[in-house]
Amino acid sequence: MISVVNTLLLKWHLLRTVVKAGANPAKNLGGVYRCIAERWVFTLAMFVVGFAVFEFSALPLLLGFVAIQVVLLFGNMKQA
């Protein structure tokens, strides 16, 4: 779930930045930095929730996260 929401957050930022910044490189770069920061904070917060609140084991949680990240990365390779 962390990976899927992370990817949806990335897509939302991409679409929002295109609409707001257009062809302005400085605004585009600002959108990229904001997206990176928000994704890091969200990912770390969700791992803390998974470890502390739900008391998930570390190895399955991390392996699941990595596996879904790989699937999401290589699942979109055929799009132009």
Side-chain angles (χ1 to χ4, degrees), residues 1-28:
M1 193 67 182
I2 297 170
S3 297
V4 172
V5 174
N6 219 348
T7 303
L8 291 174
L9 183 63
L10 175 67
K11 186 172 183 170
W12 177 73
H13 270 288
L14 177 66
L15 295 174
R16 195 180 88 177
T17 302
V18 167
V19 170
K20 283 189 170 186
N24 186 339
K27 288 184 179 177
N28 279 328

Side-chain angles (χ1 to χ4, degrees), residues 32-55:
V32 168
Y33 285 136
R34 180 177 174 165
C35 176
I36 291 169
E38 285 183 14
R39 288 181 71 205
W40 269 97
V41 168
F42 173 78
T43 302
L44 291 174
M46 290 299 102
F47 273 115
V48 167
V49 168
F51 291 137
V53 176
F54 294 120
E55 298 178 358

